[in-house]
Amino acid sequence: LDVNLAARIRSGIFVQGGTSTGRTHTDSCAIRQKLPETAMLNPFCDVTTPWTTQLKLVGAYTVPRVDAQFSATFQNLPGPALSATYVASNALIAPSLGRPLSGAAANATVNLIAPGASYADRFSQLDLRFGKTVRVAGYRTTINLDVFNALNSKTTIWSAAITSCVL
């Protein structure tokens, strides 16, 4: 389910935002019943993930007399799915399986928790841009200063760019 809104509030102000909510369901139990060898070590054939929601906002303001622009984007996203696995050796699996692993495999990876059952913490990201347009001899040049991930001081990234075009 996606909901998006956009508005031009006044001269030079633009705001847009939205949310996206959803979940997934995977059911491979019928395949597994007919071909049990396809997933002997994975007991999770019917998986429904919880509802997850994303929130995204963007806004921009152009100061008309000085030809400067300030803009920001904000995202609030669910954390990545967590997984826990165990690498079981052929020597450990062979007694319960009644034979060695096929293809001369030395080990097999076993899921310990259902896929999509646990997630890391949500995270937010704020990106900022400050730009100034400069007009010189029939050319228009924009000088931008970008700050990515401004809310997290450990991974803040700064970028500067100059773009130009003919008037």
Side-chain angles (χ1 to χ4, degrees):
L1 173 67
D2 296 328
V3 176
N4 295 300
L5 300 170
R8 291 192 184 276
I9 299 172
R10 282 189 268 161
S11 176
I13 299 175
F14 171 75
V15 179
Q16 181 177 347
T19 183
S20 178
T21 300
R23 70 178 183 173
T24 59
H25 177 94
T26 305
D27 184 353
S28 59
C29 295
I31 295 169
R32 183 180 175 150
Q33 186 175 13
K34 291 184 186 217
L35 300 166
E37 66 274 9
T38 61
M40 294 179 71
L41 300 173
N42 185 0
F44 308 107
C45 64
D46 188 2
V47 177
T48 301
T49 61
W51 290 90
T52 57
T53 301
Q54 297 181 6
L55 173 67
K56 296 184 180 185
L57 303 168
V58 63
Y61 174 64
T62 302
V63 181
R65 294 185 187 249
V66 295
D67 236 355
Q69 185 180 51
F70 303 98
S71 60
T73 61
F74 177 77
Q75 302 181 77
N76 182 268
L77 306 170
L82 299 177
S83 64
T85 57
Y86 175 71
V87 178
S89 69
N90 191 17
L92 184 65
I93 296 172
S96 63
L97 191 58
R99 62 171 176 79
L101 291 169
S102 61
N107 55 45
T109 303
V110 181
N111 285 327
L112 299 177
I113 62 172
S118 185
Y119 289 83
D121 293 336
R122 295 184 67 83
F123 64 95
S124 297
Q125 180 174 336
L126 177 66
D127 298 335
L128 303 171
R129 170 174 275 187
F130 306 98
K132 172 70 176 121
T133 301
V134 179
R135 299 172 198 280
V136 178
Y139 290 91
R140 182 177 66 195
T141 299
T142 304
I143 301 169
N144 294 315
L145 173 65
D146 296 304
V147 181
F148 299 103
N149 202 12
L151 297 177
N152 186 348
S153 62
K154 292 182 182 178
T155 58
T156 301
I157 299 171
W158 294 77
S159 171
I162 298 175
T163 56
S164 62
C165 64
V166 178
L167 291 176

